Amino acid sequence: MEISDEKIRNREEVREINKSNLEFQETVKKPKFKGRKTIYLTLYIAGLYLILNIIGVILFWPKNLKIEESGELNLSLLEREISLLDKRLSSQRPKGVYILIDSGANRLFLKKNDDLIREAIISCGSGSILEEPGGKRRWVFDTPRGEFTIKSKIVNPDWIKPDWAFIEEGKEPPKNWKERVESGVLGDYALGFGQGYFIHGTLYTRLLGRNVTHGCIRVGDEDLEIVYKNTQIGTKIYIF
Amino acid sequence: MGKYLISTLLLFFLLIGNLNYFWGQEKQKISWLLIRSQLLKEELELASKPQLYFIFNLGEKKLALKARGMVLKEWKLDDVRRWGSLPAIKVLTLEKKSALFAPKRKKIKPGESQSSANFELEALELKDMPTIYTLRFNSRLKIYVRPSQKTFLGYLASMGFFFRWYGWFPVQNLFLKMFKRPIMLIEIKTASLDEARAIYWALIEGIRGIIYSLPGKQ
């Protein structure tokens, strides 16, 4: 049977159409393939990260401290050594009365050994900064931290105003020291613990419990009297 | 005959097991005592000087601020976790405290702070301290501090911290180990916001102390 020319042409046209359809489908598929590639890459990176993470976790898993035992260890000897060390450590503790000051909570604890004699609300350093005009000097109004000792005990103290007190008020510090003396602002008692810092009274009792001072420790009148009467020169002060 | 053999064998294994148990217990006790004695020696060195220091027991989840062997303040922590081996029991120094919202000191303007009302505004107080911060010690040790929170935002933040702790830190440390500079990381969760602030306040830069892990009395 013979196939006419027209039929052959039609078949070729159909083939052409199929071919262009295939090409079209491939072009449509192409972006899908690209997306898959990104997914594979992401999965690959995530897998790699996971492996590194697992290695990290294994390597840095918390291990307990191992102390090397040297020679023969005797349990009772070790226990005796520990009790001796414990005794030496407790011998470091202050004997008798001492003062604890929590500068954050603005609390003073007057203690005798482990017993609390008095707890008082106080005012500690504000932590502010004062710079002298011209930038020559700078003061940070912090209450110092650490262990201190009462070095002086004063009744009816006068305040000898330091330079910063004048600069803060926008005045020139006077040359004559008599101009620096101010009475009645430090309360009835003052306990000096070095470098110009004092535990003293205050006129601003409503500010007790707040960090408002220039580094000194302000205490209310009644509490100050008890602190003054129960301490002596050499009494330890712990400020934290 | 068989019965006797089985019971003898059982008795033998029971005896071996018990001996092993007691031997293990004694070894554990010796190890505990050794760490304790080392700790006391190091603490004695700190307590013999007029200074504040800290003792952090990861095992008991307790952080104490001390002076002369006396506890000034102690915090019971909600949770403690760590990566890496603990350093040997030795005195460490807090080199730096850092926080995203670090407290800033207020500057007094000369001539403007004459009334007591102004003093209040210029103060840097406990409430201004951050609750989420990092403490960097020498010997490549970092402590991350954050409070336990029971709010929705707190839970969200906790998830972030969880992924950072388990997802990021091990990988980061792996790379640091490649350069022979791995760090030891500790994360502590305080019981409240105020406790986190109080720890930030109490641990001043330069403070020395000991970090160790030991369960309570054996």
Side-chain angles (χ1 to χ4, degrees):
Chain A
M1 209 172 89
E2 275 189 18
I3 302 162
S4 66
D5 286 349
E6 201 181 334
K7 273 186 178 175
I8 290 168
R9 228 178 289 132
N10 280 345
R11 277 184 187 174
E12 277 172 358
E13 273 174 10
V14 167
R15 259 183 223 144
E16 282 285 311
I17 289 164
N18 280 344
K19 206 179 163 188
S20 62
N21 267 349
L22 270 170
E23 277 171 5
F24 176 73
Q25 276 175 4
E26 273 175 15
T27 52
V28 169
K29 271 181 186 173
K30 259 180 191 169
K32 205 178 174 186
F33 182 67
K34 254 188 189 172
R36 205 176 285 173
K37 222 174 176 179
T38 319
I39 290 166
Y40 285 149
L41 192 71
T42 315
L43 282 174
Y44 175 74
I45 292 167
L48 196 70
Y49 190 86
L50 192 71
I51 290 165
L52 286 174
N53 191 273
I54 291 166
I55 295 169
V57 167
I58 293 166
L59 269 177
F60 301 106
W61 192 257
K63 293 167 196 88
N64 280 330
L65 185 68
K66 276 185 184 168
I67 286 196
E68 282 179 23
E69 298 166 17
S70 51
E72 276 289 299
L73 279 168
N74 188 324
L75 209 66
S76 61
L77 256 176
L78 252 176
E79 280 171 335
R80 212 180 304 154
E81 188 192 38
I82 286 171
S83 83
L84 200 76
L85 283 165
D86 262 329
K87 270 182 199 161
R88 282 179 64 193
L89 193 64
S90 40
S91 73
Q92 298 288 326
R93 297 180 63 143
K95 277 129 199 115
V97 176
Y98 62 93
I99 298 169
L100 280 188
I101 287 166
D102 183 342
S103 62
N106 286 303
R107 292 287 186 281
L108 180 147
F109 305 92
L110 182 68
K111 292 182 111 178
K112 187 174 185 179
N113 301 319
D114 283 334
D115 303 324
L116 182 71
I117 302 173
R118 184 87 173 184
E119 184 181 337
I121 300 171
I122 56 167
S123 280
C124 290
S126 67
S128 309
I129 298 170
L130 175 69
E131 270 175 20
E132 189 176 18
K136 282 181 200 161
R137 287 182 291 176
R138 186 176 184 265
W139 293 271
V140 180
F141 297 129
D142 276 334
T143 295
R145 317 262 191 109
E147 185 194 76
F148 303 90
T149 306
I150 294 180
K151 291 191 168 133
S152 60
K153 288 181 80 181
I154 311 160
V155 182
N156 293 323
D158 289 329
W159 185 30
I160 315 291
K161 287 171 81 174
D163 286 357
W164 55 255
F166 294 97
I167 291 163
E168 192 180 12
E169 289 169 7
K171 295 173 188 166
E172 267 296 305
K175 282 184 179 116
N176 184 357
W177 72 271
K178 281 179 187 169
E179 289 172 43
R180 291 177 180 260
V181 181
E182 202 170 316
S183 301
V185 289
L186 299 183
D188 298 331
Y189 308 97
L191 304 156
F193 57 94
Q195 294 177 344
Y197 292 104
F198 286 89
I199 295 175
H200 60 72
T202 180
L203 298 173
Y204 307 108
T205 47
R206 69 182 179 90
L207 291 178
L208 288 172
R210 306 294 304 268
N211 290 79
V212 289
T213 78
H214 296 89
C216 282
I217 293 149
R218 293 182 193 167
V219 188
D221 291 343
E222 274 180 45
D223 294 322
L224 184 63
E225 192 178 349
I226 290 167
V227 172
Y228 184 88
K229 286 182 175 165
N230 280 282
T231 55
Q232 45 195 291
I233 289 173
T235 298
K236 295 282 179 206
I237 304 170
Y238 298 93
I239 307 174
F240 62 97
Chain B
M1 184 68 188
K3 271 183 187 174
Y4 285 123
L5 189 71
I6 289 167
S7 47
T8 316
L9 275 173
L10 263 173
L11 205 70
F12 175 75
F13 284 122
L14 209 70
L15 200 72
I16 291 284
N18 271 339
L19 276 175
N20 202 24
Y21 172 75
F22 288 119
W23 184 70
Q25 279 233 318
E26 181 155 331
K27 214 176 165 201
Q28 206 181 345
K29 193 170 183 183
I30 286 176
S31 165
W32 189 91
L33 289 172
L34 275 170
I35 295 174
R36 178 105 184 103
S37 93
Q38 185 67 30
L39 169 76
L40 285 171
K41 280 177 197 162
E42 292 291 334
E43 191 182 344
L44 198 62
E45 196 212 308
L46 285 170
S48 60
K49 288 170 191 149
Q51 62 181 0
L52 305 179
Y53 62 89
F54 69 87
I55 300 286
F56 185 11
N57 184 357
L58 304 171
E60 287 187 308
K61 297 180 186 174
K62 274 183 188 169
L63 173 64
L65 184 71
K66 297 177 95 176
R68 300 281 185 195
M70 172 175 69
V71 177
L72 303 179
K73 199 158 183 169
E74 191 175 68
W75 296 275
K76 183 90 186 80
L77 305 165
D78 251 20
D79 198 15
V80 175
R81 56 188 180 193
R82 67 185 163 99
W83 282 127
S85 306
L86 272 176
I89 296 176
K90 61 173 187 179
V91 175
L92 299 167
T93 309
L94 172 60
E95 288 179 339
K96 198 172 166 39
K97 292 191 284 189
S98 53
L100 191 61
F101 304 106
K104 285 194 175 75
R105 289 181 185 275
K106 281 131 194 171
K107 271 192 176 179
I108 298 170
K109 287 176 187 157
E112 281 185 23
S113 53
Q114 289 181 17
S115 70
S116 58
N118 277 349
F119 283 138
E120 275 192 273
L121 297 170
E122 286 158 7
L124 186 68
E125 295 185 285
L126 196 62
K127 63 176 170 54
D128 303 316
M129 298 299 117
T131 53
I132 299 169
Y133 52 90
T134 311
L135 307 169
R136 288 161 206 267
F137 293 84
N138 60 338
S139 301
R140 302 193 57 73
L141 191 148
K142 266 191 201 178
I143 298 184
Y144 294 92
V145 184
R146 66 189 178 93
S148 287
Q149 284 189 23
K150 273 116 196 159
T151 57
F152 176 70
L153 276 175
Y155 284 123
L156 270 185
S158 291
M159 273 172 67
F161 287 120
F162 178 86
F163 286 117
R164 185 182 68 164
W165 185 256
Y166 291 104
W168 170 241
F169 284 153
V171 179
Q172 182 201 28
N173 227 357
L174 195 66
F175 280 101
L176 287 169
K177 197 179 168 69
M178 276 163 61
F179 298 102
K180 293 183 176 166
R181 291 175 66 79
I183 48 175
M184 195 212 153
L185 302 163
I186 298 173
E187 189 181 68
I188 60 177
K189 253 201 274 182
T190 61
S192 66
L193 292 166
D194 285 341
E195 290 204 349
R197 289 187 187 111
I199 293 171
Y200 189 91
W201 182 281
L203 300 183
I204 49 171
E205 281 178 0
I207 195 169
R208 304 199 313 148
I210 304 162
I211 298 172
Y212 70 104
S213 182
L214 202 61
K217 201 158 179 67
Q218 289 274 305

